[in-house]
Amino acid sequence: MSSLSSVLAPTTGAPVDTRREARGGARQAKLAERVAAAMQQDIASQGWPVGLVLGSEAQLMERYRISRATLREAIRQLERHGVASMRRGAGGGLVVRQPANDSAALALATYLELTDVSFAELFEARELVECQIVSDAAARLAARDLPRALELIELLRHTPPGSFNEELQLHGQVREFICAVLGNPAINLVYVALCYVTIHGHTPRQPASRARLEQVFRNGRELKRQALEAIVAGDAQAAQAPVHESLRQIRQLIIDLRGNLQQGPTSGMSSLQSVPDFAIRQVYEKTAHRLAVVIARAIANSGLRAGAHLGAEPELQAIHGVSRAVLREALRTLELHAILRSRRGQGGGLIVETPDPSYTIGLAIDYLRHSQLPRHYFHGLWQTLQLAAASLAAQRLDTAGRERLLLALQQLQHGAASDCIGAIQRLELCIAELSGNRALALFCHMLGAMAASYPGDAPPNMLLAQLLGSQQELVNAILARDPAQARRCMLDYFQLIEPWLGETPQGGWLALS
């Protein structure tokens, strides 16, 4: 469903399976994926209680009317994102392992990691998100939050520097506190996902490099304290200054260690030895997860294009020195993200595909729907990121991008009336991708799809013409390479659609069909 579907043609009844529609029919969800979604629905309907036992293997096979093989594949998908896992023995069964927000954040971080989004893109996105976070926290800090804020300020000011992991934990406490102040699942999800992938990316093993990183984190103590004091004072502008400085220092560290910001956190991986020491390590430490990243990096570094033949399973198993079970689990992860696919028969093997975030976006939307966040929480972040995308697209437009944008506009102007909504959605996504920032585009894609969960009252017929006109003006501003005007036109677009969005999301989780 388009991000405008709920505005122009509000829907009722069963929720849309975004994992299918976002792909435009490119890849149909397998039965195991739909079973995993149904299991998540059951978990959500019970409040996502960590420790809950959903049932034994036999009970789950009967409940979902599926084979043992399908069930185990569905469980592996839940385990892959830390949602649940099987516990053996008496009283065992499928156990909920992790809060919903962690599972969704890990899914987004995994996609960014597998596609090797660069440090430049990650930190550009982080700056946008973190500045909004501290600004919102300064506006929303309540009296009940004040004691904890002051406690953290004192910890940052007076406790002696500890080990690297201790410093990470302290910074994590500050992050968790600010997220708790906001109480906004949408922005917290994006923020935590960015933190996961960037923290994993800058944990070097060499003593000298690690010592330098530890020093940057210690410097960050003072900056975190300044940000917290500004939040307590309700000064949004002052809270943003230490955010800019902290990210500047980390970016400079990466440049000093790697030479530039153009590579991603996983670009240097050539073995399975890199293990991060931070939250959710039980997933990142899994050999299959690390192997999936290594294979994805090998594909990217080789320059293979979609349709290329990577080889057969025995070849990869020999190259990486892993068991068949580990390799197949890694390949399943890559297939879910459309990085590889298995082809049987003559000429078969492992075929390279174009990475597709639809699976990841589907998981994130499931979580956000479950959160039932009010419209202004969702809409504010969506608008912030799309405004930035429009401005960046105007700054970075090249010849190929110009042709792509003109094609998207032509489809909007001359396409069938029945496809108008789809054409607007494709143009919206095209602009996000032309920003040159894949992390930003991923989040815009996710939030644009999420808008379909906010159906409101039917708008007047004149809105369609107004929307088409606003899109024409937006494209003209980008083609003119005018960032300020592009941002203004995108803002006008959001002001047009906002009155017709509902207050809370409708539609539940994806049901098994």
Side-chain angles (χ1 to χ4, degrees):
M1 181 179 290
S2 162
S3 60
L4 292 175
S5 300
S6 58
V7 177
L8 299 177
T11 60
T12 58
V16 173
D17 186 335
T18 57
R19 293 173 212 181
R20 293 189 180 190
E21 190 146 335
R23 295 179 189 275
R27 186 184 79 88
Q28 295 296 311
K30 295 180 179 179
L31 177 59
E33 293 177 51
R34 302 200 303 276
V35 172
M39 290 178 174
Q40 288 181 151
Q41 181 181 10
D42 287 345
I43 293 170
S45 67
Q46 299 179 67
W48 210 290
V50 174
L52 172 73
V53 179
L54 290 180
S56 66
E57 192 173 76
Q59 290 169 331
L60 294 171
M61 288 167 58
E62 181 179 358
R63 181 184 307 168
Y64 298 104
R65 300 178 184 179
I66 53 175
S67 68
R68 178 173 279 105
T70 298
L71 174 65
R72 289 182 174 178
E73 171 60 19
I75 290 172
R76 278 191 288 267
Q77 291 184 33
L78 296 180
E79 290 177 331
R80 192 169 295 123
H81 293 292
V83 175
S85 64
M86 286 300 293
R87 183 171 66 197
R88 306 297 175 186
L94 186 63
V95 182
V96 180
R97 292 296 188 191
Q98 191 164 264
N101 59 317
D102 284 351
S103 299
L106 182 57
L108 291 170
T110 297
Y111 183 80
L112 294 173
E113 185 181 42
L114 287 173
T115 53
D116 201 30
V117 172
S118 71
F119 278 115
E121 295 168 275
L122 291 169
F123 279 97
E124 186 172 64
R126 277 190 68 170
E127 197 144 17
L128 282 168
V129 172
E130 291 188 34
C131 282
Q132 180 167 340
I133 280 176
V134 295
S135 296
D136 290 352
R140 295 176 183 169
L141 187 78
R144 64 177 180 276
D145 302 316
L146 191 57
R148 179 56 175 162
L150 296 176
E151 178 186 357
L152 287 170
I153 289 171
E154 289 303 303
L155 281 173
L156 291 166
R157 178 184 287 125
H158 296 302
T159 58
S163 67
F164 177 67
N165 282 348
E166 289 171 339
E167 291 299 301
L168 267 181
Q169 290 171 7
L170 181 56
H171 284 262
Q173 288 180 49
V174 175
R175 181 178 72 241
E176 290 168 5
F177 167 72
I178 294 175
C179 286
V181 168
L182 294 178
N184 182 340
I187 197 166
N188 292 357
L189 172 62
V190 171
Y191 179 38
V192 172
L194 286 168
C195 287
Y196 282 167
V197 70
T198 49
I199 288 173
H200 169 224
H202 56 69
T203 52
R205 297 304 183 190
Q206 299 82 2
S209 299
R210 193 176 179 89
R212 174 79 189 283
L213 176 61
E214 290 174 356
Q215 185 58 52
V216 169
F217 265 70
R218 288 171 186 147
N219 293 345
R221 275 181 168 231
E222 173 62 17
L223 295 170
K224 285 284 193 300
R225 183 183 66 78
Q226 292 174 14
L228 282 174
E229 288 178 341
I231 289 171
V232 168
D235 190 336
Q237 186 172 357
Q240 290 183 21
V243 169
H244 291 301
E245 177 59 20
S246 176
L247 294 177
R248 185 198 67 77
Q249 289 189 18
I250 299 175
R251 280 195 296 259
Q252 187 58 52
L253 171 67
I254 294 170
I255 292 171
D256 293 345
L257 295 179
R258 295 196 173 210
N260 59 60
L261 297 173
Q262 301 314 307
Q263 292 185 319
T266 61
S267 288
M269 290 188 62
S270 59
S271 70
L272 304 181
Q273 303 306 310
S274 176
V275 177
D277 34 18
F278 73 106
I280 315 189
R281 60 184 299 165
Q282 70 271 21
V283 175
Y284 273 103
E285 282 182 347
K286 291 186 69 173
T287 302
H289 180 92
R290 306 313 316 150
L291 178 58
V293 174
V294 170
I295 295 173
R297 294 284 54 70
I299 293 171
N301 293 336
S302 68
L304 292 175
R305 295 186 177 183
H309 193 279
L310 185 64
E313 286 187 18
E315 297 175 67
L316 266 68
Q317 187 179 341
I319 290 171
H320 297 288
V322 296
S323 69
R324 186 183 184 189
V326 167
L327 175 64
R328 289 201 163 178
E329 186 174 350
L331 294 178
R332 288 188 194 99
T333 297
L334 294 169
E335 285 179 337
L336 285 173
H337 297 287
I339 293 171
L340 277 180
R341 63 182 169 88
S342 297
R343 185 168 67 193
R344 302 188 182 280
Q346 186 175 7
L350 300 171
I351 309 301
V352 175
E353 286 198 313
T354 301
D356 186 335
S358 299
Y359 172 75
T360 297
I361 288 170
L363 288 175
I365 289 175
D366 284 349
Y367 161 62
L368 292 175
R369 281 178 176 160
H370 166 64
S371 302
Q372 290 288 301
L373 64 161
R375 179 184 69 182
H376 65 276
Y377 278 0
F378 150 77
H379 196 268
L381 176 61
W382 185 32
Q383 176 175 294
T384 293
L385 297 185
Q386 284 286 172
L387 290 175
S391 179
L392 290 170
Q395 294 176 43
R396 297 169 177 172
L397 190 68
D398 57 15
T399 301
R402 176 180 291 271
E403 293 175 357
R404 184 179 171 192
L405 188 61
L406 286 171
L407 177 61
L409 179 61
Q410 184 180 28
Q411 291 174 340
L412 177 62
Q413 292 174 328
H414 303 295
S418 60
D419 187 46
C420 182
I421 301 304
I424 291 177
Q425 178 193 31
R426 289 190 291 274
L427 179 58
E428 180 185 296
L429 181 57
C430 174
I431 291 170
E433 292 175 347
L434 291 178
S435 71
N437 187 315
R438 289 169 292 170
L440 182 59
L442 174 66
F443 300 137
C444 287
H445 190 171
M446 174 188 76
L447 295 167
M450 181 61 190
S453 297
Y454 289 77
D457 296 331
N461 293 333
M462 71 179 70
L463 180 60
L464 180 58
Q466 291 177 314
L467 287 169
L468 293 175
S470 75
Q471 296 298 297
Q472 174 72 69
E473 292 176 1
L474 174 58
V475 169
N476 289 342
I478 295 173
L479 291 173
R481 301 181 62 88
D482 187 337
Q485 184 60 22
R487 182 182 176 89
R488 177 71 249 179
C489 291
M490 183 64 81
L491 181 60
D492 291 342
Y493 164 74
F494 270 85
Q495 289 173 342
L496 279 174
I497 66 173
E498 185 171 12
W500 311 109
L501 291 173
E503 288 302 320
T504 55
Q506 296 178 18
W509 288 46
L510 305 181
L512 179 63
S513 58

